[in-house]
Amino acid sequence: AHLGLDNAVSLRCARIQRIVVQPDKQGQGLGQWMLKQIGTQLKDRTDYLASSYGADRPLSRFWNKAGYQSVRLSDKPSAASGLRSALVLRALSPAGQRLIGQATIEFSAQFVAQLGSSLRELDPAMVIELCRGNKLILAAMNPAQLKAAVLFAYTGRPYESSLTALQLLAQKSLLSDSACASLQEKARQLYIARVLQHQNWKRCAEIAGISGKQACLNLLRNSTGILLEAYASGEALQALRQQYVASRQGTSSAVVSR
């Protein structure tokens, strides 16, 4: 019902209400083993498995490691735990796989849109965790957007003039598995906090552990260059840098000579 997918009600679902491992036995793979056994026992009579949990990083990694995909995050944190509730699914049949594929696409699109509004205060590190394993369906950067990102990274173009390009680059690079490891943890969190969640510069500096707006901008420019290297081929990026940077320098020289 939460997903709004009509075909979900016609499929067979088993819900895992709770899974608990004694504290002194945790970290030994027992939870993963239990989830694997549940899937093995139900695979011939169930289309998909479902569960929900209070969304923090360790639990998100636990469910992701077991092959469960995030398909919903509650709008508000729980008053008791302070955590949002995450719904995860795992397919056991082709029909279940089709359902989860549709659900993850819709979740990803909604999730990205909410980062600048209702999910603005979500920990950037948690944003990364929730996106692991989910495939975002995003349009490629057009030439004008790629140019804007290159100019921001290498020529000092203002942040506000480059924001649309940086948002798309962040979505394609940081909210997928492809380039997530290209940046250090704090740089990734800063990029998400500022570019996607629109956090103020003071809060961004706190997240990155640096001082002031200028330091944040310097790190964002450096990070953009790294993400562009992962997004575009080396030769293509080098050609763009030479073209746009040389053009910018030529324009500046012409202005000075006048």
Side-chain angles (χ1 to χ4, degrees), residues 110-165:
Q110 184 74 7
F111 185 71
V112 169
Q114 289 178 318
L115 286 176
S117 55
S118 61
L119 299 181
R120 192 165 177 262
E121 301 300 325
L122 185 65
D123 182 358
M126 192 64 214
V127 173
I128 295 172
E129 290 297 335
L130 287 168
C131 289
R132 293 189 191 277
N134 281 8
K135 297 185 180 298
L136 298 177
I137 307 301
L138 299 167
M141 296 177 72
N142 63 41
Q145 292 165 337
L146 189 57
K147 176 181 178 180
V150 169
L151 291 177
F152 174 77
Y154 304 114
T155 72
R157 177 183 172 126
Y159 171 81
E160 289 75 13
S161 302
S162 312
L163 184 54
T164 299

Short mmCIF file of all heavy atoms in Angstrom, two decimals, residues 110-165:
data_model
loop_
_atom_site.label_atom_id
_atom_site.label_comp_id
_atom_site.label_asym_id
_atom_site.label_seq_id
_atom_site.Cartn_x
_atom_site.Cartn_y
_atom_site.Cartn_z
N GLN A 110 11.86 9.81 -6.47
CA GLN A 110 11.24 10.55 -5.37
C GLN A 110 12.30 10.98 -4.34
O GLN A 110 12.27 12.09 -3.82
CB GLN A 110 10.17 9.69 -4.70
CG GLN A 110 9.39 10.38 -3.60
CD GLN A 110 8.40 11.40 -4.14
OE1 GLN A 110 8.21 11.51 -5.34
NE2 GLN A 110 7.78 12.13 -3.24
N PHE A 111 13.22 10.08 -4.07
CA PHE A 111 14.26 10.33 -3.08
C PHE A 111 15.12 11.52 -3.48
O PHE A 111 15.38 12.42 -2.67
CB PHE A 111 15.12 9.07 -2.94
CG PHE A 111 16.17 9.15 -1.87
CD1 PHE A 111 15.82 9.14 -0.53
CD2 PHE A 111 17.51 9.23 -2.20
CE1 PHE A 111 16.79 9.20 0.47
CE2 PHE A 111 18.48 9.30 -1.22
CZ PHE A 111 18.12 9.28 0.12
N VAL A 112 15.55 11.55 -4.74
CA VAL A 112 16.38 12.66 -5.23
C VAL A 112 15.62 13.98 -5.12
O VAL A 112 16.17 15.00 -4.70
CB VAL A 112 16.82 12.40 -6.68
CG1 VAL A 112 17.44 13.65 -7.29
CG2 VAL A 112 17.80 11.24 -6.74
N ALA A 113 14.34 13.95 -5.48
CA ALA A 113 13.53 15.18 -5.43
C ALA A 113 13.36 15.67 -4.00
O ALA A 113 13.31 16.88 -3.74
CB ALA A 113 12.17 14.93 -6.06
N GLN A 114 13.27 14.76 -3.03
CA GLN A 114 13.03 15.13 -1.64
C GLN A 114 14.27 15.61 -0.90
O GLN A 114 14.17 16.19 0.17
CB GLN A 114 12.42 13.95 -0.88
CG GLN A 114 10.99 13.64 -1.29
CD GLN A 114 10.44 12.44 -0.54
OE1 GLN A 114 11.13 11.43 -0.36
NE2 GLN A 114 9.21 12.55 -0.09
N LEU A 115 15.45 15.36 -1.46
CA LEU A 115 16.67 15.74 -0.76
C LEU A 115 16.75 17.24 -0.50
O LEU A 115 17.33 17.68 0.49
CB LEU A 115 17.90 15.29 -1.56
CG LEU A 115 18.20 13.79 -1.52
CD1 LEU A 115 19.39 13.46 -2.42
CD2 LEU A 115 18.47 13.33 -0.10
N GLY A 116 16.17 18.02 -1.38
CA GLY A 116 16.19 19.46 -1.19
C GLY A 116 15.01 19.99 -0.40
O GLY A 116 14.89 21.20 -0.20
N SER A 117 14.13 19.09 0.07
CA SER A 117 12.95 19.54 0.81
C SER A 117 12.77 18.73 2.09
O SER A 117 13.42 19.01 3.09
CB SER A 117 11.70 19.45 -0.09
OG SER A 117 11.55 18.14 -0.61
N SER A 118 11.92 17.70 2.05
CA SER A 118 11.61 16.98 3.28
C SER A 118 12.78 16.16 3.83
O SER A 118 12.81 15.83 5.02
CB SER A 118 10.41 16.06 3.05
OG SER A 118 10.68 15.12 2.04
N LEU A 119 13.75 15.84 2.98
CA LEU A 119 14.93 15.07 3.44
C LEU A 119 16.17 15.95 3.55
O LEU A 119 17.29 15.45 3.56
CB LEU A 119 15.20 13.90 2.48
CG LEU A 119 14.09 12.86 2.35
CD1 LEU A 119 14.51 11.76 1.39
CD2 LEU A 119 13.73 12.27 3.71
N ARG A 120 15.95 17.24 3.65
CA ARG A 120 17.06 18.19 3.69
C ARG A 120 17.97 17.97 4.90
O ARG A 120 19.18 18.22 4.82
CB ARG A 120 16.49 19.61 3.71
CG ARG A 120 17.50 20.71 3.47
CD ARG A 120 16.79 22.00 3.13
NE ARG A 120 17.74 23.09 2.97
CZ ARG A 120 18.03 23.97 3.92
NH1 ARG A 120 17.41 23.89 5.08
NH2 ARG A 120 18.90 24.93 3.70
N GLU A 121 17.42 17.50 6.00
CA GLU A 121 18.21 17.32 7.22
C GLU A 121 18.75 15.91 7.37
O GLU A 121 19.42 15.60 8.35
CB GLU A 121 17.35 17.67 8.45
CG GLU A 121 16.80 19.09 8.46
CD GLU A 121 17.91 20.13 8.44
OE1 GLU A 121 18.96 19.88 9.06
OE2 GLU A 121 17.72 21.20 7.81
N LEU A 122 18.48 15.04 6.40
CA LEU A 122 18.98 13.66 6.48
C LEU A 122 20.50 13.67 6.40
O LEU A 122 21.09 14.36 5.57
CB LEU A 122 18.38 12.83 5.34
CG LEU A 122 18.71 11.33 5.34
CD1 LEU A 122 18.11 10.66 6.56
CD2 LEU A 122 18.17 10.67 4.06
N ASP A 123 21.14 12.89 7.26
CA ASP A 123 22.59 12.80 7.28
C ASP A 123 23.10 12.43 5.88
O ASP A 123 22.69 11.43 5.32
CB ASP A 123 23.01 11.73 8.29
CG ASP A 123 24.52 11.58 8.41
OD1 ASP A 123 25.25 12.28 7.71
OD2 ASP A 123 24.95 10.74 9.23
N PRO A 124 24.01 13.25 5.30
CA PRO A 124 24.52 12.93 3.96
C PRO A 124 25.13 11.53 3.86
O PRO A 124 25.04 10.88 2.81
CB PRO A 124 25.59 14.01 3.73
CG PRO A 124 25.14 15.16 4.56
CD PRO A 124 24.52 14.54 5.78
N ALA A 125 25.74 11.06 4.95
CA ALA A 125 26.29 9.70 4.93
C ALA A 125 25.18 8.67 4.78
O ALA A 125 25.35 7.64 4.12
CB ALA A 125 27.07 9.45 6.22
N MET A 126 24.01 8.95 5.37
CA MET A 126 22.88 8.05 5.24
C MET A 126 22.30 8.10 3.84
O MET A 126 21.81 7.09 3.32
CB MET A 126 21.80 8.43 6.28
CG MET A 126 20.70 7.39 6.43
SD MET A 126 21.35 5.83 7.07
CE MET A 126 20.29 4.67 6.21
N VAL A 127 22.36 9.27 3.21
CA VAL A 127 21.91 9.39 1.82
C VAL A 127 22.68 8.42 0.94
O VAL A 127 22.10 7.69 0.11
CB VAL A 127 22.12 10.84 1.30
CG1 VAL A 127 21.82 10.92 -0.19
CG2 VAL A 127 21.22 11.80 2.07
N ILE A 128 23.99 8.38 1.11
CA ILE A 128 24.84 7.49 0.31
C ILE A 128 24.47 6.03 0.58
O ILE A 128 24.35 5.23 -0.35
CB ILE A 128 26.32 7.74 0.63
CG1 ILE A 128 26.71 9.16 0.18
CG2 ILE A 128 27.21 6.72 -0.06
CD1 ILE A 128 28.10 9.58 0.62
N GLU A 129 24.29 5.68 1.84
CA GLU A 129 23.97 4.30 2.19
C GLU A 129 22.65 3.85 1.56
O GLU A 129 22.54 2.75 1.04
CB GLU A 129 23.91 4.13 3.70
CG GLU A 129 25.23 4.24 4.42
CD GLU A 129 26.22 3.17 4.02
OE1 GLU A 129 25.80 2.09 3.57
OE2 GLU A 129 27.43 3.42 4.16
N LEU A 130 21.64 4.70 1.61
CA LEU A 130 20.33 4.32 1.08
C LEU A 130 20.34 4.13 -0.43
O LEU A 130 19.49 3.42 -0.97
CB LEU A 130 19.29 5.37 1.47
CG LEU A 130 18.87 5.37 2.94
CD1 LEU A 130 18.07 6.62 3.26
CD2 LEU A 130 18.06 4.12 3.27
N CYS A 131 21.28 4.76 -1.10
CA CYS A 131 21.34 4.66 -2.56
C CYS A 131 22.18 3.50 -3.05
O CYS A 131 22.17 3.18 -4.24
CB CYS A 131 21.88 5.96 -3.15
SG CYS A 131 20.73 7.33 -3.03
N ARG A 132 22.92 2.87 -2.17
CA ARG A 132 23.76 1.75 -2.60
C ARG A 132 22.89 0.63 -3.15
O ARG A 132 21.92 0.22 -2.54
CB ARG A 132 24.61 1.21 -1.44
CG ARG A 132 25.67 2.19 -0.95
CD ARG A 132 26.60 1.50 0.02
NE ARG A 132 27.46 2.46 0.69
CZ ARG A 132 28.59 2.94 0.18
NH1 ARG A 132 28.96 2.53 -1.02
NH2 ARG A 132 29.32 3.80 0.85
N GLY A 133 23.26 0.15 -4.33
CA GLY A 133 22.53 -0.96 -4.94
C GLY A 133 21.34 -0.54 -5.75
O GLY A 133 20.80 -1.32 -6.53
N ASN A 134 20.86 0.70 -5.59
CA ASN A 134 19.73 1.18 -6.38
C ASN A 134 20.24 1.89 -7.63
O ASN A 134 21.18 2.65 -7.59
CB ASN A 134 18.88 2.17 -5.56
CG ASN A 134 17.98 1.46 -4.59
OD1 ASN A 134 18.08 0.24 -4.40
ND2 ASN A 134 17.09 2.18 -3.95
N LYS A 135 19.60 1.62 -8.75
CA LYS A 135 20.02 2.21 -10.01
C LYS A 135 19.14 3.41 -10.32
O LYS A 135 17.95 3.27 -10.54
CB LYS A 135 19.94 1.18 -11.14
CG LYS A 135 20.89 0.00 -10.94
CD LYS A 135 20.86 -0.92 -12.13
CE LYS A 135 21.80 -2.10 -11.93
NZ LYS A 135 23.21 -1.69 -11.77
N LEU A 136 19.74 4.59 -10.32
CA LEU A 136 19.00 5.80 -10.66
C LEU A 136 18.86 5.91 -12.17
O LEU A 136 19.81 5.69 -12.91
CB LEU A 136 19.72 7.03 -10.12
CG LEU A 136 19.89 7.12 -8.60
CD1 LEU A 136 20.67 8.36 -8.24
CD2 LEU A 136 18.55 7.12 -7.91
N ILE A 137 17.68 6.26 -12.62
CA ILE A 137 17.44 6.48 -14.04
C ILE A 137 17.54 7.97 -14.29
O ILE A 137 16.62 8.74 -14.01
CB ILE A 137 16.06 5.94 -14.46
CG1 ILE A 137 15.90 4.49 -14.02
CG2 ILE A 137 15.87 6.09 -15.96
CD1 ILE A 137 16.94 3.54 -14.58
N LEU A 138 18.69 8.40 -14.79
CA LEU A 138 18.96 9.82 -14.96
C LEU A 138 19.42 10.12 -16.37
O LEU A 138 20.11 9.32 -16.99
CB LEU A 138 20.05 10.28 -13.97
CG LEU A 138 19.72 10.10 -12.48
CD1 LEU A 138 20.98 10.27 -11.66
CD2 LEU A 138 18.66 11.10 -12.06
N ALA A 139 19.06 11.29 -16.85
CA ALA A 139 19.49 11.71 -18.18
C ALA A 139 20.98 12.05 -18.15
O ALA A 139 21.52 12.47 -17.13
CB ALA A 139 18.69 12.93 -18.62
N ALA A 140 21.64 11.87 -19.29
CA ALA A 140 23.05 12.24 -19.39
C ALA A 140 23.18 13.75 -19.39
O ALA A 140 22.26 14.48 -19.76
CB ALA A 140 23.65 11.65 -20.66
N MET A 141 24.34 14.24 -18.97
CA MET A 141 24.60 15.68 -18.99
C MET A 141 24.71 16.13 -20.44
O MET A 141 25.40 15.50 -21.25
CB MET A 141 25.90 16.00 -18.24
CG MET A 141 25.84 15.67 -16.76
SD MET A 141 27.42 16.00 -15.92
CE MET A 141 27.42 17.79 -15.92
N ASN A 142 24.05 17.22 -20.78
CA ASN A 142 24.18 17.75 -22.14
C ASN A 142 25.45 18.59 -22.23
O ASN A 142 26.08 18.90 -21.20
CB ASN A 142 22.93 18.54 -22.54
CG ASN A 142 22.69 19.77 -21.69
OD1 ASN A 142 23.63 20.49 -21.34
ND2 ASN A 142 21.44 20.03 -21.33
N PRO A 143 25.87 18.97 -23.43
CA PRO A 143 27.13 19.72 -23.58
C PRO A 143 27.20 21.00 -22.76
O PRO A 143 28.25 21.33 -22.20
CB PRO A 143 27.18 20.01 -25.09
CG PRO A 143 26.42 18.89 -25.70
CD PRO A 143 25.30 18.59 -24.75
N ALA A 144 26.08 21.73 -22.67
CA ALA A 144 26.09 22.97 -21.90
C ALA A 144 26.29 22.71 -20.42
O ALA A 144 27.01 23.45 -19.72
CB ALA A 144 24.77 23.72 -22.13
N GLN A 145 25.68 21.63 -19.90
CA GLN A 145 25.83 21.29 -18.49
C GLN A 145 27.25 20.80 -18.20
O GLN A 145 27.85 21.15 -17.17
CB GLN A 145 24.80 20.22 -18.11
CG GLN A 145 23.37 20.74 -18.12
CD GLN A 145 22.35 19.62 -18.09
OE1 GLN A 145 22.63 18.48 -18.48
NE2 GLN A 145 21.14 19.94 -17.65
N LEU A 146 27.79 20.01 -19.12
CA LEU A 146 29.16 19.54 -18.95
C LEU A 146 30.14 20.72 -18.95
O LEU A 146 31.08 20.77 -18.15
CB LEU A 146 29.50 18.55 -20.06
CG LEU A 146 30.82 17.80 -19.92
CD1 LEU A 146 30.88 17.04 -18.61
CD2 LEU A 146 31.01 16.84 -21.10
N LYS A 147 29.90 21.67 -19.83
CA LYS A 147 30.74 22.86 -19.89
C LYS A 147 30.67 23.63 -18.58
O LYS A 147 31.70 24.09 -18.06
CB LYS A 147 30.30 23.76 -21.05
CG LYS A 147 31.05 25.08 -21.12
CD LYS A 147 30.54 25.94 -22.27
CE LYS A 147 31.25 27.29 -22.31
NZ LYS A 147 30.77 28.14 -23.44
N ALA A 148 29.48 23.79 -18.04
CA ALA A 148 29.30 24.52 -16.78
C ALA A 148 30.07 23.85 -15.65
O ALA A 148 30.70 24.52 -14.81
CB ALA A 148 27.83 24.63 -16.43
N ALA A 149 30.03 22.52 -15.60
CA ALA A 149 30.75 21.79 -14.55
C ALA A 149 32.25 21.94 -14.72
O ALA A 149 32.99 22.12 -13.73
CB ALA A 149 30.35 20.32 -14.58
N VAL A 150 32.74 21.88 -15.96
CA VAL A 150 34.17 22.04 -16.23
C VAL A 150 34.64 23.44 -15.82
O VAL A 150 35.68 23.60 -15.17
CB VAL A 150 34.47 21.79 -17.73
CG1 VAL A 150 35.89 22.22 -18.08
CG2 VAL A 150 34.27 20.31 -18.05
N LEU A 151 33.86 24.46 -16.17
CA LEU A 151 34.23 25.83 -15.83
C LEU A 151 34.22 26.05 -14.32
O LEU A 151 35.06 26.78 -13.79
CB LEU A 151 33.29 26.81 -16.52
CG LEU A 151 33.42 26.90 -18.04
CD1 LEU A 151 32.38 27.86 -18.61
CD2 LEU A 151 34.82 27.33 -18.45
N PHE A 152 33.27 25.43 -13.62
CA PHE A 152 33.25 25.56 -12.16
C PHE A 152 34.49 24.91 -11.55
O PHE A 152 35.11 25.47 -10.64
CB PHE A 152 31.99 24.90 -11.59
CG PHE A 152 31.97 24.85 -10.08
CD1 PHE A 152 31.68 25.99 -9.35
CD2 PHE A 152 32.27 23.68 -9.40
CE1 PHE A 152 31.67 25.96 -7.95
CE2 PHE A 152 32.27 23.64 -8.01
CZ PHE A 152 31.97 24.78 -7.28
N ALA A 153 34.85 23.75 -12.06
CA ALA A 153 35.98 23.01 -11.49
C ALA A 153 37.32 23.69 -11.75
O ALA A 153 38.19 23.71 -10.87
CB ALA A 153 36.01 21.59 -12.04
N TYR A 154 37.48 24.28 -12.94
CA TYR A 154 38.82 24.69 -13.35
C TYR A 154 39.01 26.18 -13.58
O TYR A 154 40.15 26.62 -13.75
CB TYR A 154 39.21 23.93 -14.62
CG TYR A 154 39.14 22.44 -14.47
CD1 TYR A 154 38.22 21.68 -15.20
CD2 TYR A 154 39.99 21.76 -13.59
CE1 TYR A 154 38.15 20.30 -15.06
CE2 TYR A 154 39.92 20.39 -13.44
CZ TYR A 154 39.00 19.66 -14.18
OH TYR A 154 38.92 18.30 -14.04
N THR A 155 37.94 26.99 -13.61
CA THR A 155 38.14 28.40 -13.93
C THR A 155 37.56 29.36 -12.90
O THR A 155 37.61 30.58 -13.10
CB THR A 155 37.50 28.74 -15.30
OG1 THR A 155 36.06 28.73 -15.16
CG2 THR A 155 37.92 27.77 -16.38
N GLY A 156 36.99 28.86 -11.83
CA GLY A 156 36.43 29.77 -10.83
C GLY A 156 35.05 30.28 -11.16
O GLY A 156 34.60 31.28 -10.58
N ARG A 157 34.34 29.63 -12.06
CA ARG A 157 32.96 30.03 -12.36
C ARG A 157 32.13 30.00 -11.08
O ARG A 157 32.26 29.09 -10.26
CB ARG A 157 32.37 29.09 -13.40
CG ARG A 157 30.89 29.38 -13.73
CD ARG A 157 30.38 28.35 -14.72
NE ARG A 157 28.94 28.47 -14.92
CZ ARG A 157 28.35 28.61 -16.10
NH1 ARG A 157 29.10 28.69 -17.20
NH2 ARG A 157 27.04 28.68 -16.19
N PRO A 158 31.25 31.00 -10.86
CA PRO A 158 30.45 31.05 -9.63
C PRO A 158 29.63 29.78 -9.41
O PRO A 158 29.13 29.18 -10.36
CB PRO A 158 29.55 32.27 -9.84
CG PRO A 158 30.30 33.13 -10.80
CD PRO A 158 31.01 32.18 -11.72
N TYR A 159 29.49 29.41 -8.15
CA TYR A 159 28.73 28.21 -7.78
C TYR A 159 27.30 28.29 -8.27
O TYR A 159 26.77 27.34 -8.86
CB TYR A 159 28.76 28.05 -6.25
CG TYR A 159 27.83 26.98 -5.73
CD1 TYR A 159 28.20 25.65 -5.77
CD2 TYR A 159 26.58 27.32 -5.22
CE1 TYR A 159 27.34 24.66 -5.29
CE2 TYR A 159 25.72 26.35 -4.74
CZ TYR A 159 26.10 25.02 -4.78
OH TYR A 159 25.24 24.05 -4.33
N GLU A 160 26.63 29.41 -8.04
CA GLU A 160 25.22 29.55 -8.40
C GLU A 160 25.00 29.40 -9.90
O GLU A 160 23.95 28.90 -10.33
CB GLU A 160 24.70 30.91 -7.94
CG GLU A 160 24.55 31.06 -6.43
CD GLU A 160 25.89 31.24 -5.72
OE1 GLU A 160 26.90 31.50 -6.42
OE2 GLU A 160 25.93 31.10 -4.48
N SER A 161 25.96 29.80 -10.72
CA SER A 161 25.83 29.70 -12.17
C SER A 161 26.03 28.27 -12.67
O SER A 161 25.75 27.98 -13.83
CB SER A 161 26.85 30.62 -12.86
OG SER A 161 26.67 31.95 -12.46
N SER A 162 26.51 27.40 -11.79
CA SER A 162 26.83 26.03 -12.19
C SER A 162 25.94 25.00 -11.51
O SER A 162 26.12 23.80 -11.72
CB SER A 162 28.30 25.73 -11.83
OG SER A 162 29.16 26.76 -12.25
N LEU A 163 24.99 25.45 -10.70
CA LEU A 163 24.28 24.54 -9.80
C LEU A 163 23.55 23.42 -10.52
O LEU A 163 23.62 22.27 -10.09
CB LEU A 163 23.30 25.34 -8.93
CG LEU A 163 22.55 24.53 -7.87
CD1 LEU A 163 23.51 23.76 -6.98
CD2 LEU A 163 21.66 25.44 -7.04
N THR A 164 22.84 23.72 -11.61
CA THR A 164 22.09 22.67 -12.31
C THR A 164 23.02 21.56 -12.77
O THR A 164 22.72 20.36 -12.62
CB THR A 164 21.35 23.26 -13.51
OG1 THR A 164 20.43 24.25 -13.06
CG2 THR A 164 20.57 22.17 -14.25
N ALA A 165 24.16 21.93 -13.32
CA ALA A 165 25.13 20.94 -13.79
C ALA A 165 25.69 20.13 -12.62
O ALA A 165 25.85 18.91 -12.72
CB ALA A 165 26.25 21.63 -14.55
#
